[in-house]
Amino acid sequence: MYDWNDLKFLLAIARTGSTLGAAKALGVNQTTVARRSEALEDALGIQLFERRPGGYRLTVRGQELAAMAEAVEAGAIHIADTAASWRRQISGTVRVTTTELVATAILAPLISQLSATHPGLTVELIAGDKRLDLQRNEVDVAIRVGSNPSEPSLIQKHLGESVWAIFAARSYADQHGLPATAEDLAGHTILAGGGDLDTLQPLAWLSEAAAGARIAMRCNSVPNLIAAVRSGVGIGPLPYTGVDETVVRCLDVEWRSDIWLLYHETQRTTPHIRAFLDAFTAYFATVRGKVDGTAFAVH
């Protein structure tokens, strides 16, 4: 039985008239073209080429086979185009749960891209710190920040780390300066946690390290905290996801948490779920540096 892949060598020689031209067209070396064309002849038991000093010329049978090979090539292209069309037709609803910060900073831009690529795909986004149960089918996909998940029936993909540090707005720094050490924090205005953020580790550390400092505001959500630091209300912890050119880092202290992509093993091959998982994984790789702070330095 001949190798279907050898038909592309036949076509390349037919179109260029030489093994050298075929090699350039296919991006391989000339020896490979000569070897594969001979293998095709041997497998079929038919002479396909007349080998002349000036190049290769198809025999009558070679010309007939080249015409059939073009039909095979057209069929392969049609298969690829059809598969691409099927991918574009992916439809369904993917229920995704994650933190409010990941939802706004990462998922929102991705969903915009997905809407253009897969117009039939809908993402039902549930943002919050409550851990919904994938095993009970409360959601399809979870993007969690924190400890290593323990559920054995879940596919667990480690994406990277979420990094927090202490920041102040540049406007605050211009007016009040920046603390050189943790002890200097007592002379500054800080932000503290309230409600759901009351026990957040970076905020708890800041409140303890800056004991005696004036607390200008208590924040009960991460977006609220980000807005407060950026506006110059006071010094506070931020995730690098919420950092921009309006803030500057204070002190050499940081907190790291793992980021996990989770889904049930039964959803691995569900087309619309798979489309979301592949798109999210690829997109996160492009923004990982902005999540862990390695993409830029704010000083």
Side-chain angles (χ1 to χ4, degrees), residues 167-168 170 240 243-250 293 296-299:
F167 291 90
R170 293 187 184 277
Y240 266 102
V243 168
D244 64 11
E245 69 282 354
T246 66
V247 300
V248 58
R249 181 168 172 173
C250 310
F296 54 91
V298 180
H299 299 292

Side-chain angles (χ1 to χ4, degrees), residues 157-175:
K157 182 178 179 61
H158 184 251
L159 298 172
E161 292 182 313
S162 172
V163 179
W164 286 62
I166 304 298
F167 291 90
R170 293 187 184 277
S171 58
Y172 178 96
D174 290 342
Q175 186 174 358

Side-chain angles (χ1 to χ4, degrees), residues 26-271:
L26 296 174
V28 299
N29 60 58
Q30 190 175 6
T31 302
T32 298
V33 175
R35 178 168 51 81
R36 297 317 307 166
S37 62
E38 291 174 4
L40 181 61
E41 287 181 316
D42 291 342
L44 295 175
I46 300 171
Q47 183 180 354
L48 302 173
F49 307 98
E50 295 178 4
R51 293 162 175 81
R52 301 180 177 183
Y56 278 41
R57 181 174 180 176
L58 291 177
T59 63
V60 172
R61 293 303 184 207
Q63 292 174 11
E64 293 176 356
L65 184 58
M68 288 186 280
E70 286 180 338
V72 173
E73 179 185 55
I77 293 173
H78 178 65
I79 289 172
D81 290 344
T82 301
S85 175
W86 288 342
R87 289 194 298 272
R88 289 193 294 271
Q89 293 172 12
I90 286 174
S91 62
T93 298
V94 184
R95 297 164 300 162
V96 182
T97 181
T98 189
T99 65
E100 193 172 1
L101 181 61
V102 172
T104 56
I106 299 176
L107 276 180
L110 171 63
I111 292 171
S112 176
Q113 294 180 14
L114 277 173
S115 295
T117 307
H118 302 299
L121 184 65
T122 300
V123 177
E124 181 181 328
L125 183 57
I126 307 168
D129 294 325
K130 181 181 179 181
R131 295 205 165 189
L132 300 179
D133 197 332
L134 289 118
Q135 294 177 311
R136 293 184 178 180
N137 202 34
E138 291 181 341
V139 287
D140 301 309
V141 178
I143 303 155
R144 293 179 181 165
V145 180
S147 58
N148 189 351
S150 59
E151 299 93 326
S153 63
L154 299 182
I155 304 298
Q156 306 170 9
K157 182 178 179 61
H158 184 251
L159 298 172
E161 292 182 313
S162 172
V163 179
W164 286 62
I166 304 298
F167 291 90
R170 293 187 184 277
S171 58
Y172 178 96
D174 290 342
Q175 186 174 358
H176 305 287
L178 294 174
T181 66
E183 289 72 21
D184 295 336
L185 285 168
H188 285 269
T189 300
I190 67 166
L191 298 168
D196 292 339
L197 295 191
D198 188 43
T199 59
L200 185 69
Q201 187 178 8
L203 282 166
W205 178 90
L206 181 60
S207 293
E208 183 177 349
R214 174 177 173 262
I215 297 176
M217 182 177 178
R218 292 189 179 274
C219 304
N220 68 348
S221 73
V222 175
N224 182 228
L225 177 63
I226 292 172
V229 174
R230 287 180 178 177
S231 64
V233 172
I235 294 174
L238 292 182
Y240 266 102
T241 312
V243 168
D244 64 11
E245 69 282 354
T246 66
V247 300
V248 58
R249 181 168 172 173
C250 310
L251 309 178
D252 187 22
V253 59
E254 62 184 24
W255 297 263
R256 294 176 175 270
S257 299
D258 292 316
I259 304 176
W260 299 90
L261 174 64
L262 308 172
Y263 55 97
H264 199 276
E265 57 187 2
T266 59
Q267 300 282 35
R268 186 197 300 268
T269 58
T270 305

